[in-house]
Amino acid sequence: VCFVSCRSLNMDFENQDKEKDNSSTAGSFNGNSTNNSIQTIDSTQALFLPIGASVSLLVMFFFFDSVQVVFTICTAVLATIAFAFLLLPMCQYLTRPCSPQNKISFGCCGRFTAAELLSFSLSVMLVLIWVLTGHWLLMDALAMGLCVAMIAFVRLPSLKVSCLLLSGLLIYDVFWVFFSAYIFNSNVMVKVATQPADNPLDVLSRKLHLGPNVGRDVPRLSLPGKLVFPSSTGSHFSMLGIGDIVMPGLLLCFVLRYDNYKKQANSDSCGAPGPGNISGRMQKVSYFHCTLIGYFVGLLTATVASRIHRAAQPALLYLVPFTLLPLLTMAYLKGDLRRMWSEPFHSKSSSSRFLEV
């Protein structure tokens, strides 16, 4: 998911470079992106995001029956837009040889290219099939689209904000999985994640009194806020929340940006060597690969722990230490920790350009 998001972003920035003559500079690394739609998380947002997530979780826990239809429709709309964004590069590739990239006007709705219309149509078709069938593969596809969109349009500006965000979400995940049952007599996280919602078609048929055979045979929907994986016997499903993908994915994008920034900065300084107490082999190890391996090991550990305890596990309990601790250690050994902690992409030179990921 992270690689697809990075590739999509690279394509977007290439298109922007073609349209603008004098746009990108090193100033884009200080937290402001050339694309106004990209949101950079600051320290205050990182601190309050777990609180907001907790409030949303409680609303879903206590008032799920009242808001399930609205929540299902909103989720379907967001999944449609996100999956259209995921399909857009492929549709651009398919439509480029056979049609010009002229935009078609739809009045007040705006102007769209043939690739955008094709990607949106395919996304709507996928969501409609999911609503009609409720198949877990389609739900996983929509969840992947949501992951890619969130990773593509959100930025972590520094290691400080990354640590604040991931540490807060670690506490949030552990509390709602392990300790919520002592307060609410139920595992809040598991109940919200596994509770299916009424199908909007079924609700609509009952409201309009369309008859017993119209819209009544559609299944209840498990919402695409997670990825599900069936067991070998098909008797149960394992789940991974999209937050367990998006939040480490944002960290991976941050370190990948820093790797590219540092590589460009070193080439501009004629290959200046790193600190004298660090071997050349250590300097060649990228932060991205270190964090990616940590994410893989953390996810594997969470899976093993879930099998051993036969109970839901907070994945961030394993993902956060296995990604942040190796990253912090490597940054300290390389002498980059102070720079990465605050304003890592600030540059005095306004003429040099760096790769945005």
Side-chain angles (χ1 to χ4, degrees):
V1 171
C2 181
F3 283 120
V4 174
S5 175
C6 294
R7 177 57 183 164
S8 300
L9 283 173
N10 285 336
M11 293 182 66
D12 290 343
F13 281 104
E14 288 173 3
N15 293 334
Q16 290 177 8
D17 288 339
K18 292 179 181 178
E19 296 175 356
K20 298 180 181 180
D21 294 328
N22 300 310
S23 57
S24 293
T25 62
S28 64
F29 280 89
N30 61 4
N32 297 322
S33 174
T34 56
N35 191 338
N36 293 329
S37 63
I38 293 179
Q39 174 67 39
T40 300
I41 298 177
D42 57 26
S43 299
T44 304
Q45 292 170 333
L47 288 173
F48 280 95
L49 194 147
I51 299 176
S54 298
V55 173
S56 301
L57 197 64
L58 285 176
V59 170
M60 292 298 297
F61 179 72
F62 287 112
F63 306 105
F64 184 81
D65 292 337
S66 302
V67 301
Q68 58 177 323
V69 177
V70 176
F71 191 75
T72 303
I73 295 174
C74 292
T75 304
V77 172
L78 290 175
T80 302
I81 299 172
F83 203 76
F85 170 76
L86 179 62
L87 292 176
L88 183 59
M90 181 190 71
C91 293
Q92 288 174 336
Y93 177 79
L94 293 176
T95 59
R96 186 177 293 118
C98 57
S99 67
Q101 297 300 313
N102 298 327
K103 291 190 175 182
I104 304 171
S105 177
F106 283 84
C108 61
C109 296
R111 297 166 56 86
F112 306 94
T113 63
E116 291 171 341
L117 293 175
L118 178 60
S119 65
F120 183 75
S121 300
L122 293 174
S123 182
V124 170
M125 186 183 304
L126 180 70
V127 171
L128 289 177
I129 296 174
W130 167 67
V131 171
L132 291 173
T133 64
H135 199 278
W136 66 270
L137 275 177
L138 299 178
M139 187 192 70
D140 282 0
L142 296 176
M144 289 175 61
L146 288 171
C147 290
V148 171
M150 285 188 282
I151 293 175
F153 291 107
V154 180
R155 288 286 182 276
L156 292 176
S158 65
L159 190 56
K160 173 185 175 181
V161 175
S162 303
C163 290
L164 286 175
L165 178 63
L166 290 176
S167 299
L169 290 174
L170 168 61
I171 297 172
Y172 156 85
D173 209 13
V174 169
F175 173 79
W176 290 111
V177 173
F178 284 154
F179 300 104
S180 61
Y182 297 104
I183 302 175
F184 302 97
N185 296 322
S186 177
N187 191 317
V188 176
M189 181 75 77
V190 173
K191 184 175 180 180
V192 171
T194 57
Q195 190 167 2
D198 288 340
N199 196 302
L201 296 180
D202 184 24
V203 176
L204 183 63
S205 67
R206 285 190 273 109
K207 292 291 184 181
L208 299 179
H209 305 287
L210 297 180
N213 297 325
V214 181
R216 298 299 178 87
D217 56 346
V218 291
R220 301 191 74 190
L221 298 176
S222 182
L223 301 181
K226 56 190 175 295
L227 296 179
V228 297
F229 310 95
S231 63
S232 56
T233 60
S235 58
H236 67 277
F237 287 82
S238 299
M239 295 184 301
L240 180 66
I242 61 174
D244 302 325
I245 301 173
V246 172
M247 298 308 163
L250 294 178
L251 180 65
L252 284 168
C253 287
F254 165 73
V255 296
L256 185 58
R257 292 171 65 212
Y258 186 81
D259 283 332
N260 286 305
Y261 168 82
K262 188 176 180 182
K263 181 179 179 181
Q264 184 66 43
N266 289 339
S267 64
D268 289 345
S269 60
C270 302
N277 59 338
I278 301 299
S279 65
R281 182 174 298 178
M282 173 65 76
Q283 287 293 337
K284 292 180 181 180
V285 178
S286 69
Y287 292 109
F288 175 77
H289 290 102
C290 173
T291 309
L292 183 62
I293 293 173
Y295 179 78
F296 172 77
V297 175
L299 195 59
L300 182 62
T301 306
T303 304
V304 172
S306 178
R307 295 291 184 181
I308 293 176
H309 297 286
R310 297 184 180 276
Q313 296 291 310
L316 291 179
L317 175 63
Y318 307 94
L319 295 177
V320 172
F322 277 102
T323 53
L324 276 184
L325 293 181
L327 174 60
L328 291 170
T329 303
M330 178 173 286
Y332 175 77
L333 293 177
K334 286 188 173 185
D336 294 331
L337 183 58
R338 184 184 298 272
R339 181 65 178 271
M340 294 179 70
W341 188 255
S342 179
E343 296 184 356
F345 306 116
H346 178 72
S347 177
K348 295 181 180 179
S349 173
S350 60
S351 60
S352 58
R353 299 177 62 185
F354 300 98
L355 175 64
E356 174 69 35
V357 181

